[in-house]
């Protein structure tokens, strides 16, 4: 009798605490209220929200790019890498001047955006001293163009060079670091997107370390939005007389460094 009273009390407490439960065939089952389920799903979705604005994963195919700028006999392929899995391989053959992708499908930067672009790259070419026009571009498109390529990463004289081009076409190297052929390097560029030179800025991380730029600061102010819009480009541009392979992995655009960093 005592045990029966305890069981009744426990069932009553359970029913009070969990009114959405009912007993069926000796087992307790849960009847969910649709509005509560929707709220819980929304909360779960909130927990999973990330600030990745565009994902350039090679497993997703070339549809993630707006345009393929691959001049024959150059080739672009998604290939398997022993360390990173599927990667993009840009092979700019002798006789081709360009093997690039114009990204990013589904993403368009606008005035005031604060974005981080991240990737890792393994560069193969005949000499560390070889000059390229670009391995990365923040490239302008449309009417009233005064900068053309506000931000570029290229190679020259054995160094990677980060370059800003101002309105009117004056280019300034704002960082350099040694080219290490056939090794993986990581890059993150932070861009405050603005047509106003005192508002727009660039910050840069190389191999996971935030870089002090050539002016002595870690932030370079300058105009970063030109013409109708600017888009990123990755690959190899220039040095048409040379075979250059640029293997690229971890392409992302995000609103935080942590999520852009490869």
């Amino acid at each position: 009798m005592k045990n029966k009273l305890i069981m009744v009390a426990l069932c009553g407490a359970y029913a009070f605490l969990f009114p959405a439960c009912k007993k069926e065939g000796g087992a307790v089952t849960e009847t969910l209220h649709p509005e509560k389920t929707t709220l819980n799903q929304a909360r779960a979705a909130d927990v999973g929200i990330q600030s990745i604005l565009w994902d350039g994963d090679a497993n997703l195919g070339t549809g993630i790019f707006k345009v393929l700028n691959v001049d024959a006999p150059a080739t672009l392929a998604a290939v398997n890498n022993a360390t990173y899995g599927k990667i993009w391989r840009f092979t700019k053959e002798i006789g081709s001047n360009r093997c690039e992708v114009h990204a990013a499908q589904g993403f368009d930067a606008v005035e005031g955006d604060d974005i981080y672009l991240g990737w890792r790259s393994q560069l193969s070419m005949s000499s560390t001293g070889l000059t390229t026009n670009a391995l990365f571009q923040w490239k302008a498109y449309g009417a009233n163009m005064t900068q053309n390529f506000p931000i570029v990463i290229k190679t020259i004289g054995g160094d990677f060079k980060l370059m800003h081009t101002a309105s009117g076409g004056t280019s300034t190297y704002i960082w350099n670091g040694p080219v290490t052929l056939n090794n993986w390097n990581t890059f993150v560029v932070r861009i405050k997107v603005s047509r106003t030179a005192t508002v727009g800025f660039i910050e840069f991380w190389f191999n996971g370390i935030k870089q002090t730029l050539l002016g002595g600061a870690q932030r370079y102010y300058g105009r970063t939005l030109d013409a109708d819009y600017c888009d990123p480009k990755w690959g190899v541009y220039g040095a048409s007389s040379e075979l250059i392979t640029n293997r690229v992995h971890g392409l992302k655009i995000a609103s935080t460094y942590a999520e852009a960093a490869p």
Side-chain angles (χ1 to χ4, degrees):
M1 182 65 178
K2 185 177 179 180
N3 289 340
K4 185 174 182 180
L5 289 173
I6 291 172
M7 288 298 294
V8 169
L10 288 174
C11 287
Y14 193 93
F16 175 78
L17 292 172
F18 303 98
C21 298
K22 61 181 180 180
K23 190 174 181 182
E24 290 183 359
V28 176
T29 61
E30 186 177 8
T31 302
L32 298 177
H33 296 287
E35 67 277 7
K36 290 185 178 179
T37 303
T38 302
L39 178 60
N40 289 338
Q41 288 172 341
R43 287 173 177 167
D46 288 344
V47 171
I49 285 176
Q50 295 182 332
S51 64
I52 296 175
L53 307 173
W54 175 80
D55 190 348
D57 190 335
N59 288 288
L60 301 176
T62 57
I64 61 176
F65 305 121
K66 293 180 178 178
V67 181
L68 303 182
N69 298 134
V70 180
D71 298 344
T75 58
L76 169 67
V79 299
N80 289 316
N81 176 269
T83 303
Y84 299 115
K86 194 80 78 175
I87 66 169
W88 294 112
R89 185 183 65 199
F90 298 84
T91 305
K92 194 208 67 58
E93 301 279 0
I94 294 172
S96 171
N97 199 47
R98 190 187 302 272
C99 184
E100 292 183 298
V101 290
H102 171 181
Q105 189 66 261
F107 174 80
D108 299 291
V110 298
E111 178 76 34
D113 280 354
D114 190 353
I115 57 176
Y116 296 76
L117 294 83
W119 69 98
R120 61 171 51 88
S121 168
Q122 183 192 58
L123 190 64
S124 299
M125 55 189 187
S126 62
S127 167
T128 57
L130 189 63
T131 295
T132 57
N133 291 346
L135 304 174
F136 164 80
Q137 299 186 66
W138 181 247
K139 175 75 172 65
Y141 295 90
N144 302 313
M145 185 180 296
T146 66
Q147 293 172 276
N148 193 352
F149 34 77
I151 304 170
V152 167
I153 296 175
K154 61 190 297 184
T155 63
I156 185 170
D159 283 336
F160 292 113
K161 299 276 191 178
L162 175 61
M163 183 178 78
H164 176 261
T165 298
S167 184
T170 299
S171 295
T172 302
Y173 292 117
I174 64 174
W175 174 86
N176 58 261
V179 171
T180 52
L181 296 180
N182 304 309
N183 290 335
W184 287 95
N185 295 286
T186 65
F187 303 81
V188 177
V189 182
R190 181 185 182 184
I191 305 174
K192 178 65 175 180
V193 180
S194 182
R195 298 182 189 278
T196 304
T198 55
V199 175
F201 64 75
I202 304 163
E203 295 177 351
F204 181 62
W205 288 256
F206 182 63
N207 289 333
I209 300 172
K210 190 173 185 181
Q211 299 296 294
T212 297
L213 306 177
L214 293 179
Q218 292 188 325
R219 176 177 292 181
Y220 181 87
Y221 281 92
R223 192 174 190 260
T224 57
L225 183 58
D226 187 36
D228 291 337
Y229 60 96
C230 288
D231 277 339
K233 300 187 76 174
W234 285 275
V236 184
Y237 172 38
S240 61
S241 63
E242 297 283 342
L243 168 63
I244 302 175
T245 301
N246 189 11
R247 298 171 183 87
V248 177
H249 174 259
L251 287 173
K252 285 187 179 65
I253 303 174
S255 56
T256 67
Y257 170 82
E259 288 175 329

